[in-house]
Amino acid sequence: MDEITVSTAFIAASTNRFSHAADTSLDSLVALGTGNLVALWDVTAANDFGIFESLPGHSAVVTCVRFLSNDRLVTGDEQGMLFLWRNNGRKTTLEWTLVTRVKAHEKAVTSLYALGNTLVSGSSDSSVKVWDTVISGEFEERQTISTGKRYPLSLALAFLPGTQALLLAISGTDVKVQLYLRSEDQFIPSASLAGHEDWVRALSFRSPPTPEEPLILASGSQDATIRLWNVESVKTTTPIKGESELGQLSDELLDAFEASLGEVAEGEEGGRQISLKRHILTAKSSDGSSQQFSVTFDALLVGHEFGITSLSWRPDLGPNCVPTILSSSTDSSLILWSPSSVLGATQDSSTSIWINRQRFGDVGGQRLGGFVGSLWTRNGQEALAWGWAGGWRRWECKSTGKSDVEEHWKELATISGHRGPVKGLAWSPNGEYLISAGVDQTTRIFGELHHSDESKRAWHEIARPQVHGYDLLDAVFLDPLKFVSIADEKVARVFEAPRNFVQLAKSLDVAHFSESEINRPAGASVPPLGLSNKAVGDGSAVAPVLAPSTRRPFEGELSGATLWPEIEKIFGHGCESMTLAVSHSHKFIATACKATSPEHAVVRIYETSTFKPFGQPLSGHTLTVTRVAFSPDDRFVLSVSRDRTWHLFELKGDQGYVFAAAEKPHARIVWDCGWSAEGDVFATASRDKLVKIWKQDDKKWTTIATIKMPSPATAVDISPVNADQRRKMAVGLEDGTVQIFSNIPSDLTSWRLDATIDTDLAHVSQIHRLSWRPAAKDNKGVTELASCSEDGTLKVLIIQG
């Protein structure tokens, strides 16, 4: 027997809704939190492979991710745990391992920042902790700073210019930014910067590239403004007595002046103040001498319409590089800010006028929650941001090289995935692409983009045919360009591909269709307050917003410009839909709904030519039917249920399907069932940790094999017989692992365990669906298995051997 090897072909995942949930290393590896997993994405991969690995370990949602160095990564979660990961190999090898974990906080970790070996973590337990991350891999706690009744939302560390004194900035559910200076291994409160009018969500330091320049702190707030503060050395180290008194006096005068300004402007400006007060920090060096630094307000950046969610300074591109800051906001825009070369009217070089150099994203308000966070990758050549729904946007700088004014930015396609559990998936009839249905109320189609070099083939989302108002549960294809989906509602809906999809599939070399398939509506749109996608284009009154059909669609286009028109609704059930199946001839579909009584626990069969009921509803179950499966010749319909039974119905001419057999073989809910491609056996998978194989023996169906599982079995699928006369059965478990069994059709009783795919490659939560890819003729013993899970990821695994 050949050794079975398992590798990842594709991982679809979204990014968690936290502004610190992703970070990038110096060599452009992006680590992001997706549910309880940490996913790794190499932005520089030549074929744009996307996420290549997911790291299991956290038992709560990952809220913060931060690289300490190219090969060390710290992550924090909602239970207050901190994990340290290390990579022992190259950037994209699967060698990231967990070094240590520590219970850092009582409540969720809200922010992380690292500088050298110093790590600071903030939490919603109103504390900030300072850690030393020693090379051996342990976290050593150095200090705990209480933030009183405020939660820290952002942290930043920097060295004071020309010294080894560490400055820590903390902001949170407060209008002020607190500065702490490290003195003899302890951070002590040193200054409080006032000016913002709402919570301060983002902080970022820019270390001076030359000794003459100041250290700049940028703070972004929910009041939609960004403030820049300069930290610079005070030139006179021993001030004359009179001068210091004068300084205090002028500070008092300024305070009084500001207070009067606030009173006067309360009506019109809401009392927005420009504070010119200097804050003095005194840093002691190791030899006992002290140096003074001043913190002054420098610039107010106004341009966003809603709150700022993240700020990041662009890595310096060269000696004459202009300082640039990237800001993201809930108004769905990203802005690049940099100082103007035009000086103020005073010709005073200390006055800086910051201008909005570039704006990305969507114009016009809070579309779908805006951007949650942003990053620079590829050494400042690319700007990335992720949104409320967890999808990424990406822009690349095509610089002319002369100056930053002549930069040209171009959007690139990026990674995507469902936000929340993925409940259903199905392959297109020939296996070119895959449809999935998720609790995030979308169905998505993922396709393999072909490449002449097979090693460079990559999977990507190519359409989002349904963006719905109910949680979606399942979808099946009726033909390559038509599918049915069910959601948490009583109707099933039928969709047909628009011309846009046919052209896109052809141009990306995902699938090819005949010329006659071009004659269809251009696209679809959802009317205001509606749930049904209406066909648009070709004479309709509405001009469609369509994604280009020559390249992969971007996240902004997927959220509305790749919809498929809805052509039919299928009614019949009295409760919310639960499961869906299509016959192998594609002539029938079967649906079932949630049920607590025999009256609703029926399977309804519909003809796909008319979408009218075929025969009588199939009754017999007493509780919710969890899965329905047609036999390969469509002679039988098999259903399994929460009532722990399976029922079999046989096709009898015009009468439709009639009851044939039933058994109650399991002690708990039966989650899934599946037929072999040859139709000789079927399998049932249950929460009682058993998978049973059934065969018809002299009119009666009997158990011929019972396989004990280490965890409740929640999904099952059997592949066709391969060239070696063996077939594989994949069983998905509640703990997220997958077991692969093999069998020879001539000996139906022996099912050999060939491989267990653990959480590193499989999932970390209940598997909802498994499906073998319809095989190509020359598969050389290679099969592909698609899986989707409660953990929010969808994966395609390559199983060889």
Side-chain angles (χ1 to χ4, degrees), residues 102 158 482 489:
V102 63
K482 195 186 287 182
E489 56 177 345

Side-chain angles (χ1 to χ4, degrees), residues 662-732:
E663 285 280 348
K664 189 174 182 180
H666 292 284
R668 303 294 298 276
I669 179 174
V670 188
W671 278 119
D672 200 1
C673 61
W675 288 86
S676 65
E678 296 70 39
D680 53 344
V681 294
F682 67 80
T684 55
S686 165
R687 187 182 271 165
D688 64 7
K689 303 185 183 179
L690 296 179
V691 170
K692 296 196 173 189
I693 311 294
W694 301 81
K695 175 180 180 291
Q696 190 172 18
D697 229 354
D698 192 30
K699 298 281 184 185
K700 194 173 183 304
W701 290 82
T702 54
T703 312
I704 50 164
T706 300
I707 307 166
K708 185 92 176 77
M709 294 291 158
S711 170
T714 56
V716 66
D717 194 36
I718 303 173
S719 74
V721 171
N722 64 13
D724 299 336
Q725 292 306 303
R726 294 195 81 83
R727 57 186 168 197
K728 295 188 179 83
M729 176 173 70
V731 180

Side-chain angles (χ1 to χ4, degrees), residues 85-363:
W85 309 83
R86 174 178 277 136
N87 182 9
N88 305 319
R90 296 190 309 279
K91 176 166 75 166
T92 54
T93 52
L94 306 186
E95 291 191 26
W96 284 88
T97 51
L98 179 61
V99 179
T100 186
R101 71 182 83 190
V102 63
K103 173 76 171 167
H105 294 276
E106 288 307 307
K107 294 185 180 170
V109 179
T110 54
S111 52
L112 275 179
Y113 196 88
L115 185 65
N117 278 339
T118 304
L119 176 77
V120 281
S121 63
S123 161
S124 51
D125 62 8
S126 298
S127 71
V128 172
K129 290 194 178 180
V130 183
W131 307 84
D132 216 5
T133 55
V134 286
I135 299 299
S136 64
E138 293 300 315
F139 290 109
E140 289 182 13
E141 190 179 334
R142 293 280 185 232
Q143 186 183 355
T144 301
I145 300 168
S146 169
T147 55
K149 293 182 179 176
R150 312 286 184 184
Y151 293 168
L153 295 175
S154 189
L155 304 167
L157 281 171
F159 289 108
L160 283 174
T163 71
Q164 286 302 302
L166 259 185
L167 183 62
L168 166 66
I170 302 175
S171 71
T173 56
D174 186 8
V175 295
K176 292 182 177 177
V177 177
Q178 308 295 339
L179 294 184
Y180 288 75
L181 196 57
R182 183 145 82 174
S183 171
E184 292 161 1
D185 274 359
Q186 293 289 301
F187 282 99
I188 49 174
S190 303
S192 179
L193 309 180
H196 285 295
E197 295 165 15
D198 206 335
W199 293 2
V200 182
R201 283 195 166 273
L203 293 174
S204 185
F205 276 115
R206 179 180 188 259
S207 299
T210 61
E212 297 78 45
E213 291 183 54
L215 170 70
I216 306 175
L217 170 65
S219 61
S221 161
Q222 279 187 183
D223 64 13
T225 65
I226 300 163
R227 286 173 176 254
L228 301 182
W229 312 82
N230 282 353
V231 183
E232 49 202 332
S233 169
V234 178
K235 295 291 180 280
T236 51
T237 46
T238 51
I240 306 159
K241 187 182 174 196
E243 262 188 29
S244 71
E245 281 174 9
L246 191 69
Q248 285 170 4
L249 186 66
S250 61
D251 274 354
E252 283 164 21
L253 279 171
L254 276 169
D255 285 349
F257 175 58
E258 278 169 20
S260 65
L261 263 183
E263 286 157 24
V264 173
E266 196 67 51
E268 47 206 84
E269 273 294 316
R272 182 170 286 178
Q273 300 168 14
I274 301 288
S275 168
L276 301 173
K277 183 176 174 182
R278 277 203 318 176
H279 301 269
I280 301 293
L281 307 175
T282 306
K284 291 188 172 67
S285 59
S286 52
D287 58 4
S289 62
S290 64
Q291 193 176 353
Q292 288 193 320
F293 291 85
S294 67
V295 184
T296 49
F297 172 74
D298 179 48
L300 180 69
L301 278 48
V302 181
H304 283 294
E305 294 168 45
F306 297 104
I308 311 295
T309 53
S310 75
L311 295 171
S312 54
W313 290 95
R314 188 174 190 173
D316 286 332
L317 297 171
N320 304 322
C321 143
V322 179
T324 304
I325 191 164
L326 171 68
S327 62
S328 67
S329 163
T330 51
D331 65 6
S332 289
S333 69
L334 295 183
I335 297 183
L336 293 187
W337 308 84
S338 59
S340 164
S341 50
V342 183
L343 295 175
T346 56
Q347 291 301 311
D348 172 11
S349 59
S350 66
T351 334
S352 57
I353 301 171
W354 285 70
I355 58 168
N356 166 344
R357 290 267 180 218
Q358 197 83 35
R359 184 187 276 264
F360 310 125
D362 304 311
V363 179

Side-chain angles (χ1 to χ4, degrees), residues 9-73:
F10 177 54
I11 301 173
S14 67
T15 307
N16 292 339
R17 233 174 242 173
F18 301 96
S19 56
H20 304 289
D23 192 30
T24 177
S25 69
L26 290 174
D27 55 6
S28 295
L29 178 66
V30 173
L32 52 104
T34 174
N36 297 0
L37 292 160
V38 178
L40 299 173
W41 167 33
D42 180 13
V43 179
T44 58
N47 59 337
D48 203 5
F49 187 82
I51 296 172
F52 63 88
E53 185 181 8
S54 56
L55 306 175
H58 285 281
S59 53
V61 172
V62 178
T63 56
C64 297
V65 173
R66 180 68 66 174
F67 277 99
L68 298 178
S69 61
N70 279 339
D71 59 354
R72 289 197 304 158
L73 175 68

